[in-house]
Amino acid sequence: MADGTTQESSQERVPLGSWPRLYTLCCVLAVVVMALLYWFTSHYNVQIKS
Amino acid sequence: MGVLDWIVFFAFIGYVVWDGMRRRSGANDLEGYYAGGRKIPWWAAGLSIMATQASAITVIGTTGQGHEHGMRFVQSYFGLPFAMVLLCIFLVPLYRSRNVLTPYELLEDRFGPMSRTLASTIFLCSRCLALGAVIYAPSVALSAILGIDTMVAVFIIGALTTTYTLVGGVSAVIWTDVKQMAVILIGLVVVFVTLLWELLPQFGSFGKMLEVAGAADKLGALEVMPANDGLMPRTHAEVEGAIGDPSFWEQKYNVWAGVFGGLFLHLSYFGCDNSQAQRLLTSKNASESKKSLLLSAFAKVPMQAFVLLIGVMMWLFYAVNEQPMLYKADHITASQSEKFAARIAPLQVEFDTAHAERKASLLALAKVEGGVTADPVALKRYHDAIASVDNARKKARVLIHATTDAKGKDEDDKDTNDIFCRYILAQMPTLLLGLIIAAIFAAAMSSIDSVLNSLSGATVIDIYRRWIKPDCSDAQALRVGKFITLFWGVVATFTALFFAGGGSIIEMINQVGSWFYGSLLGIFVMALFMRRAGDLAGALGLLGGMLAVLVVHNTIKVEFLWYNVVGLVGVLVVGFVTSLVVKRR
């Protein structure tokens, strides 16, 4: 079987330079999207009271 | 459908099947058939991950959800980006530490054969059930379009997808998924632009459209505070007897269920379900696998919000244009029969009156200066009209179901999954209709093929080569693998029969998954963090997790997203207690 599945090449380019930075960006963007949806809801939505 | 639509549709289907079949050269050994020779680029694996999740259900069921319930469903995806990050940190390095072909192989290394076999069996059972629903959804569309029986459509979709998956293995799955994902996105954008084209002249601006849709409670994309304060769950008897207020746990969609319940659902789905985890084994290294996962982390929530918004716009379209009272093909056929004509007629009058009132109140509300809440009387009139339309539609569905059902049950045979098809059939211009139907098929096939190959992989690697014929050669195992792909294709096609007439399919899929996913996740969490646990602790933990879900399901009313948490906690508690009693060998 082909090898090379365990080692990440030192030449491998990680987006933004490091994995922790990329993970942080991912989480921050998720929170920003949620904040935008919260704004969207509070700005436009009117709850129907049953 | 016109001739051009048929040409587009058949050209796409033919291309997909041909594209899948021509990948057979790379599928001549086990690693090629189940791991793509570990040569798949990260972006292709990432698009395949998205395409596998974005089944026809995403196109049909999610737009239907948007039409009926607005955008609240998007909240169940809030945990996904965080789940992807956690998987990149903990599970991807574990998976890529060995040349495994299924994630369950690792469980034998860590615990023993019992845990591995049990986890793999749980995957096989849960996925087979879910696959039935995945095949059924687009079959509804095909039957509505071609006027053929839904079950015939089930067989056509099942046969086509099984054929190229059987021949080309996971490479065929991934490379066809890439094209299918492109067609899905193009199809969705086309529907969105068509809706805008229709609605903008009627409303004047996109902002005005959002205002009136929001006034109908269709744009609630994030609910922070639950509608009540109760944290004590109610029993089923209390729910049926309407005793007490609904608890926090009964709320299907809010930000807490989405972030926490959704986190565990997606951790398990992408990390422990072989139909998705298999993608992580096809790239050349861990770095590529992480990138393929993060593609979904960035794109999924905005994409899901976009699909739901299409559903909301479809609702808006029907609010100001002629709307069918019934969407299901068999409901429409039944309503036109002599048997029903006299009974449906008064309901049709009620519906038409309510629809006209809803349109008038909507247009009046759109003209209110200072926003829709500035005139509470106009808003109340609008809400009452919306309720009247929904009520008339429900009465018609119940009437037809009660009369056609063999048991005569007074149930609401919901048509959430039929709204999108009815809309495109009536509104899409020629050529574009063919493209959209192709997109629905693309979505269906992209999910079915992945599951078929992963079911085959788990059966051959974890069951056949582990228990039945441990000394078989790769070539033998590959031959068996292809036969088993065919076997699962047939089983899944028959399973689809059970889903006929169900409620919202998108929910059904998640519910089926939630029964097992928490437990599957739990065993991998044990593998990572519970060093003293052995094979017995792992196996009992798995059983304990599923038992916990069963007990909760039968005693108290809890929405399905929380089952993932219950299953996970059940595995950890039982696994930990067992590990205290039985030492790891």
Side-chain angles (χ1 to χ4, degrees), chain B residues 18 36 40 51 59 93 127 153 186 212 215 222 240 261 271 291 388 410 417 425 460 479 508 534 547 552:
Chain B
W18 170 79
I40 305 291
V59 181
R127 263 298 125 187
I186 292 169
V212 287
L222 193 146
E240 279 163 23
K291 282 193 256 181
S388 301
D410 233 13
N417 305 310
L425 275 175
V460 170
R479 273 199 300 276
M508 201 193 304
L547 186 67
V552 166

PDB file of all heavy atoms in Angstrom, chain B residues 18 36 40 51 59 93 127 153 186 212 215 222 240 261 271 291 388 410 417 425 460 479 508 534 547 552:
ATOM      1  N   TRP B  18     -21.444   7.746 -17.570  1.00  0.00           N
ATOM      2  CA  TRP B  18     -20.221   7.491 -18.354  1.00  0.00           C
ATOM      3  C   TRP B  18     -18.982   7.915 -17.570  1.00  0.00           C
ATOM      4  O   TRP B  18     -17.981   7.201 -17.511  1.00  0.00           O
ATOM      5  CB  TRP B  18     -20.308   8.260 -19.684  1.00  0.00           C
ATOM      6  CG  TRP B  18     -19.018   8.250 -20.444  1.00  0.00           C
ATOM      7  CD1 TRP B  18     -18.524   7.228 -21.202  1.00  0.00           C
ATOM      8  CD2 TRP B  18     -18.036   9.301 -20.490  1.00  0.00           C
ATOM      9  NE1 TRP B  18     -17.304   7.574 -21.729  1.00  0.00           N
ATOM     10  CE2 TRP B  18     -16.974   8.852 -21.303  1.00  0.00           C
ATOM     11  CE3 TRP B  18     -17.962  10.582 -19.936  1.00  0.00           C
ATOM     12  CZ2 TRP B  18     -15.851   9.623 -21.566  1.00  0.00           C
ATOM     13  CZ3 TRP B  18     -16.846  11.361 -20.202  1.00  0.00           C
ATOM     14  CH2 TRP B  18     -15.804  10.873 -21.002  1.00  0.00           C
ATOM     15  N   GLY B  36      -9.513   5.529  -3.362  1.00  0.00           N
ATOM     16  CA  GLY B  36      -9.083   6.317  -4.524  1.00  0.00           C
ATOM     17  C   GLY B  36      -7.580   6.331  -4.709  1.00  0.00           C
ATOM     18  O   GLY B  36      -7.042   7.299  -5.281  1.00  0.00           O
ATOM     19  N   ILE B  40      -6.642  11.602  -4.251  1.00  0.00           N
ATOM     20  CA  ILE B  40      -7.692  12.581  -4.565  1.00  0.00           C
ATOM     21  C   ILE B  40      -7.278  13.958  -4.033  1.00  0.00           C
ATOM     22  O   ILE B  40      -6.921  14.082  -2.865  1.00  0.00           O
ATOM     23  CB  ILE B  40      -9.035  12.167  -3.906  1.00  0.00           C
ATOM     24  CG1 ILE B  40      -9.440  10.745  -4.317  1.00  0.00           C
ATOM     25  CG2 ILE B  40     -10.128  13.170  -4.227  1.00  0.00           C
ATOM     26  CD1 ILE B  40      -9.855  10.539  -5.744  1.00  0.00           C
ATOM     27  N   ALA B  51     -21.245  17.533  -1.552  1.00  0.00           N
ATOM     28  CA  ALA B  51     -22.261  16.947  -2.432  1.00  0.00           C
ATOM     29  C   ALA B  51     -22.959  15.776  -1.756  1.00  0.00           C
ATOM     30  O   ALA B  51     -24.165  15.575  -1.914  1.00  0.00           O
ATOM     31  CB  ALA B  51     -21.624  16.497  -3.736  1.00  0.00           C
ATOM     32  N   VAL B  59     -32.266  20.033  -1.880  1.00  0.00           N
ATOM     33  CA  VAL B  59     -32.961  20.812  -2.901  1.00  0.00           C
ATOM     34  C   VAL B  59     -34.474  20.761  -2.667  1.00  0.00           C
ATOM     35  O   VAL B  59     -35.135  21.795  -2.613  1.00  0.00           O
ATOM     36  CB  VAL B  59     -32.615  20.277  -4.308  1.00  0.00           C
ATOM     37  CG1 VAL B  59     -33.307  21.103  -5.372  1.00  0.00           C
ATOM     38  CG2 VAL B  59     -31.102  20.290  -4.525  1.00  0.00           C
ATOM     39  N   PRO B  93      -5.819  13.418  12.381  1.00  0.00           N
ATOM     40  CA  PRO B  93      -4.489  12.828  12.644  1.00  0.00           C
ATOM     41  C   PRO B  93      -4.574  11.350  13.036  1.00  0.00           C
ATOM     42  O   PRO B  93      -3.725  10.554  12.642  1.00  0.00           O
ATOM     43  CB  PRO B  93      -3.953  13.665  13.814  1.00  0.00           C
ATOM     44  CG  PRO B  93      -4.708  14.943  13.743  1.00  0.00           C
ATOM     45  CD  PRO B  93      -6.062  14.588  13.237  1.00  0.00           C
ATOM     46  N   ARG B 127     -27.155   3.658   8.141  1.00  0.00           N
ATOM     47  CA  ARG B 127     -26.996   4.237   6.809  1.00  0.00           C
ATOM     48  C   ARG B 127     -27.925   3.601   5.799  1.00  0.00           C
ATOM     49  O   ARG B 127     -28.418   4.246   4.877  1.00  0.00           O
ATOM     50  CB  ARG B 127     -25.552   4.094   6.349  1.00  0.00           C
ATOM     51  CG  ARG B 127     -24.719   5.308   6.571  1.00  0.00           C
ATOM     52  CD  ARG B 127     -25.232   6.478   5.797  1.00  0.00           C
ATOM     53  NE  ARG B 127     -25.484   7.615   6.657  1.00  0.00           N
ATOM     54  CZ  ARG B 127     -26.074   8.731   6.245  1.00  0.00           C
ATOM     55  NH1 ARG B 127     -26.494   8.849   5.019  1.00  0.00           N
ATOM     56  NH2 ARG B 127     -26.278   9.722   7.070  1.00  0.00           N
ATOM     57  N   ALA B 153     -39.752   5.010 -10.209  1.00  0.00           N
ATOM     58  CA  ALA B 153     -38.694   6.025 -10.132  1.00  0.00           C
ATOM     59  C   ALA B 153     -37.603   5.606  -9.151  1.00  0.00           C
ATOM     60  O   ALA B 153     -36.408   5.798  -9.411  1.00  0.00           O
ATOM     61  CB  ALA B 153     -39.294   7.356  -9.713  1.00  0.00           C
ATOM     62  N   ILE B 186     -25.580  25.499  -9.677  1.00  0.00           N
ATOM     63  CA  ILE B 186     -26.119  26.245 -10.824  1.00  0.00           C
ATOM     64  C   ILE B 186     -27.654  26.193 -10.791  1.00  0.00           C
ATOM     65  O   ILE B 186     -28.330  27.213 -10.968  1.00  0.00           O
ATOM     66  CB  ILE B 186     -25.582  25.658 -12.155  1.00  0.00           C
ATOM     67  CG1 ILE B 186     -24.077  25.922 -12.270  1.00  0.00           C
ATOM     68  CG2 ILE B 186     -26.309  26.270 -13.353  1.00  0.00           C
ATOM     69  CD1 ILE B 186     -23.392  25.171 -13.394  1.00  0.00           C
ATOM     70  N   VAL B 212     -42.143  41.780   3.928  1.00  0.00           N
ATOM     71  CA  VAL B 212     -43.427  41.066   4.012  1.00  0.00           C
ATOM     72  C   VAL B 212     -43.227  39.575   4.343  1.00  0.00           C
ATOM     73  O   VAL B 212     -44.072  38.968   5.004  1.00  0.00           O
ATOM     74  CB  VAL B 212     -44.288  41.236   2.733  1.00  0.00           C
ATOM     75  CG1 VAL B 212     -44.857  42.625   2.650  1.00  0.00           C
ATOM     76  CG2 VAL B 212     -43.511  40.909   1.486  1.00  0.00           C
ATOM     77  N   ALA B 215     -42.653  39.582   8.021  1.00  0.00           N
ATOM     78  CA  ALA B 215     -43.905  39.820   8.749  1.00  0.00           C
ATOM     79  C   ALA B 215     -44.733  38.542   8.842  1.00  0.00           C
ATOM     80  O   ALA B 215     -45.626  38.427   9.679  1.00  0.00           O
ATOM     81  CB  ALA B 215     -44.703  40.913   8.046  1.00  0.00           C
ATOM     82  N   LEU B 222     -32.511  32.890  13.508  1.00  0.00           N
ATOM     83  CA  LEU B 222     -31.779  32.629  14.755  1.00  0.00           C
ATOM     84  C   LEU B 222     -32.637  33.015  15.951  1.00  0.00           C
ATOM     85  O   LEU B 222     -32.998  34.180  16.106  1.00  0.00           O
ATOM     86  CB  LEU B 222     -30.458  33.404  14.775  1.00  0.00           C
ATOM     87  CG  LEU B 222     -29.465  32.970  15.864  1.00  0.00           C
ATOM     88  CD1 LEU B 222     -28.040  33.106  15.370  1.00  0.00           C
ATOM     89  CD2 LEU B 222     -29.643  33.768  17.140  1.00  0.00           C
ATOM     90  N   GLU B 240     -49.111  14.541  25.461  1.00  0.00           N
ATOM     91  CA  GLU B 240     -50.381  14.162  24.839  1.00  0.00           C
ATOM     92  C   GLU B 240     -51.577  14.783  25.561  1.00  0.00           C
ATOM     93  O   GLU B 240     -52.559  15.162  24.935  1.00  0.00           O
ATOM     94  CB  GLU B 240     -50.526  12.636  24.813  1.00  0.00           C
ATOM     95  CG  GLU B 240     -49.751  12.005  23.662  1.00  0.00           C
ATOM     96  CD  GLU B 240     -49.541  10.511  23.839  1.00  0.00           C
ATOM     97  OE1 GLU B 240     -50.318   9.882  24.573  1.00  0.00           O
ATOM     98  OE2 GLU B 240     -48.569   9.999  23.249  1.00  0.00           O
ATOM     99  N   GLY B 261     -26.432  20.550  20.062  1.00  0.00           N
ATOM    100  CA  GLY B 261     -26.936  19.306  19.477  1.00  0.00           C
ATOM    101  C   GLY B 261     -26.347  19.098  18.088  1.00  0.00           C
ATOM    102  O   GLY B 261     -25.898  18.007  17.732  1.00  0.00           O
ATOM    103  N   GLY B 271     -17.255  12.663  11.045  1.00  0.00           N
ATOM    104  CA  GLY B 271     -16.076  11.999  11.582  1.00  0.00           C
ATOM    105  C   GLY B 271     -16.214  10.494  11.738  1.00  0.00           C
ATOM    106  O   GLY B 271     -15.219   9.773  11.640  1.00  0.00           O
ATOM    107  N   LYS B 291      -8.033  20.198   4.868  1.00  0.00           N
ATOM    108  CA  LYS B 291      -8.523  21.243   3.967  1.00  0.00           C
ATOM    109  C   LYS B 291      -9.871  20.851   3.360  1.00  0.00           C
ATOM    110  O   LYS B 291     -10.754  21.693   3.194  1.00  0.00           O
ATOM    111  CB  LYS B 291      -7.493  21.506   2.865  1.00  0.00           C
ATOM    112  CG  LYS B 291      -6.315  22.355   3.343  1.00  0.00           C
ATOM    113  CD  LYS B 291      -5.489  22.849   2.180  1.00  0.00           C
ATOM    114  CE  LYS B 291      -4.208  22.072   2.040  1.00  0.00           C
ATOM    115  NZ  LYS B 291      -3.337  22.497   0.945  1.00  0.00           N
ATOM    116  N   SER B 388     -55.518  31.280   7.933  1.00  0.00           N
ATOM    117  CA  SER B 388     -56.677  30.746   7.208  1.00  0.00           C
ATOM    118  C   SER B 388     -56.237  29.924   5.999  1.00  0.00           C
ATOM    119  O   SER B 388     -56.798  28.855   5.726  1.00  0.00           O
ATOM    120  CB  SER B 388     -57.578  31.892   6.723  1.00  0.00           C
ATOM    121  OG  SER B 388     -58.010  32.642   7.811  1.00  0.00           O
ATOM    122  N   ASP B 410     -57.187  10.029  10.540  1.00  0.00           N
ATOM    123  CA  ASP B 410     -57.400  11.463  10.378  1.00  0.00           C
ATOM    124  C   ASP B 410     -56.071  12.212  10.454  1.00  0.00           C
ATOM    125  O   ASP B 410     -55.886  13.066  11.299  1.00  0.00           O
ATOM    126  CB  ASP B 410     -58.315  11.924  11.524  1.00  0.00           C
ATOM    127  CG  ASP B 410     -59.498  12.680  10.977  1.00  0.00           C
ATOM    128  OD1 ASP B 410     -59.707  12.601   9.758  1.00  0.00           O
ATOM    129  OD2 ASP B 410     -60.185  13.334  11.776  1.00  0.00           O
ATOM    130  N   ASN B 417     -42.336  18.159   0.882  1.00  0.00           N
ATOM    131  CA  ASN B 417     -41.341  17.737  -0.109  1.00  0.00           C
ATOM    132  C   ASN B 417     -41.829  17.834  -1.547  1.00  0.00           C
ATOM    133  O   ASN B 417     -41.109  17.468  -2.465  1.00  0.00           O
ATOM    134  CB  ASN B 417     -40.910  16.303   0.187  1.00  0.00           C
ATOM    135  CG  ASN B 417     -40.403  16.162   1.607  1.00  0.00           C
ATOM    136  OD1 ASN B 417     -39.564  16.928   2.043  1.00  0.00           O
ATOM    137  ND2 ASN B 417     -40.943  15.213   2.340  1.00  0.00           N
ATOM    138  N   LEU B 425     -42.175  22.817 -12.037  1.00  0.00           N
ATOM    139  CA  LEU B 425     -42.953  22.301 -13.169  1.00  0.00           C
ATOM    140  C   LEU B 425     -43.858  23.385 -13.754  1.00  0.00           C
ATOM    141  O   LEU B 425     -44.032  23.469 -14.967  1.00  0.00           O
ATOM    142  CB  LEU B 425     -43.812  21.117 -12.710  1.00  0.00           C
ATOM    143  CG  LEU B 425     -43.122  19.757 -12.713  1.00  0.00           C
ATOM    144  CD1 LEU B 425     -44.037  18.705 -12.117  1.00  0.00           C
ATOM    145  CD2 LEU B 425     -42.726  19.354 -14.132  1.00  0.00           C
ATOM    146  N   VAL B 460     -17.064  -5.268   3.522  1.00  0.00           N
ATOM    147  CA  VAL B 460     -15.932  -6.099   3.091  1.00  0.00           C
ATOM    148  C   VAL B 460     -14.781  -6.032   4.101  1.00  0.00           C
ATOM    149  O   VAL B 460     -14.243  -7.065   4.518  1.00  0.00           O
ATOM    150  CB  VAL B 460     -15.430  -5.634   1.701  1.00  0.00           C
ATOM    151  CG1 VAL B 460     -14.117  -6.320   1.348  1.00  0.00           C
ATOM    152  CG2 VAL B 460     -16.465  -5.967   0.660  1.00  0.00           C
ATOM    153  N   ARG B 479     -13.560  -8.366  -5.645  1.00  0.00           N
ATOM    154  CA  ARG B 479     -14.709  -8.975  -6.345  1.00  0.00           C
ATOM    155  C   ARG B 479     -15.933  -9.025  -5.421  1.00  0.00           C
ATOM    156  O   ARG B 479     -17.041  -8.675  -5.813  1.00  0.00           O
ATOM    157  CB  ARG B 479     -14.338 -10.395  -6.803  1.00  0.00           C
ATOM    158  CG  ARG B 479     -13.658 -10.444  -8.169  1.00  0.00           C
ATOM    159  CD  ARG B 479     -13.745 -11.847  -8.778  1.00  0.00           C
ATOM    160  NE  ARG B 479     -13.096 -12.856  -7.936  1.00  0.00           N
ATOM    161  CZ  ARG B 479     -11.787 -13.114  -7.958  1.00  0.00           C
ATOM    162  NH1 ARG B 479     -10.993 -12.423  -8.764  1.00  0.00           N
ATOM    163  NH2 ARG B 479     -11.253 -14.039  -7.167  1.00  0.00           N
ATOM    164  N   MET B 508     -36.530  13.599   8.697  1.00  0.00           N
ATOM    165  CA  MET B 508     -36.509  12.156   8.916  1.00  0.00           C
ATOM    166  C   MET B 508     -35.071  11.625   8.862  1.00  0.00           C
ATOM    167  O   MET B 508     -34.668  10.812   9.689  1.00  0.00           O
ATOM    168  CB  MET B 508     -37.362  11.474   7.846  1.00  0.00           C
ATOM    169  CG  MET B 508     -37.820  10.089   8.225  1.00  0.00           C
ATOM    170  SD  MET B 508     -38.487   9.235   6.812  1.00  0.00           S
ATOM    171  CE  MET B 508     -39.756  10.321   6.261  1.00  0.00           C
ATOM    172  N   GLY B 534     -11.133  -0.991  27.634  1.00  0.00           N
ATOM    173  CA  GLY B 534     -10.796  -2.088  26.727  1.00  0.00           C
ATOM    174  C   GLY B 534     -11.955  -2.414  25.800  1.00  0.00           C
ATOM    175  O   GLY B 534     -12.909  -1.633  25.674  1.00  0.00           O
ATOM    176  N   LEU B 547     -28.990   2.434  24.141  1.00  0.00           N
ATOM    177  CA  LEU B 547     -30.033   2.173  25.137  1.00  0.00           C
ATOM    178  C   LEU B 547     -30.488   3.485  25.780  1.00  0.00           C
ATOM    179  O   LEU B 547     -31.687   3.701  26.003  1.00  0.00           O
ATOM    180  CB  LEU B 547     -29.490   1.219  26.207  1.00  0.00           C
ATOM    181  CG  LEU B 547     -30.511   0.735  27.235  1.00  0.00           C
ATOM    182  CD1 LEU B 547     -31.557  -0.157  26.567  1.00  0.00           C
ATOM    183  CD2 LEU B 547     -29.821  -0.036  28.362  1.00  0.00           C
ATOM    184  N   VAL B 552     -34.650   7.521  26.639  1.00  0.00           N
ATOM    185  CA  VAL B 552     -35.079   8.927  26.564  1.00  0.00           C
ATOM    186  C   VAL B 552     -36.227   9.070  25.575  1.00  0.00           C
ATOM    187  O   VAL B 552     -37.230   9.737  25.839  1.00  0.00           O
ATOM    188  CB  VAL B 552     -33.884   9.830  26.162  1.00  0.00           C
ATOM    189  CG1 VAL B 552     -34.368  11.213  25.746  1.00  0.00           C
ATOM    190  CG2 VAL B 552     -32.901   9.946  27.323  1.00  0.00           C
TER     191      VAL B 552
END
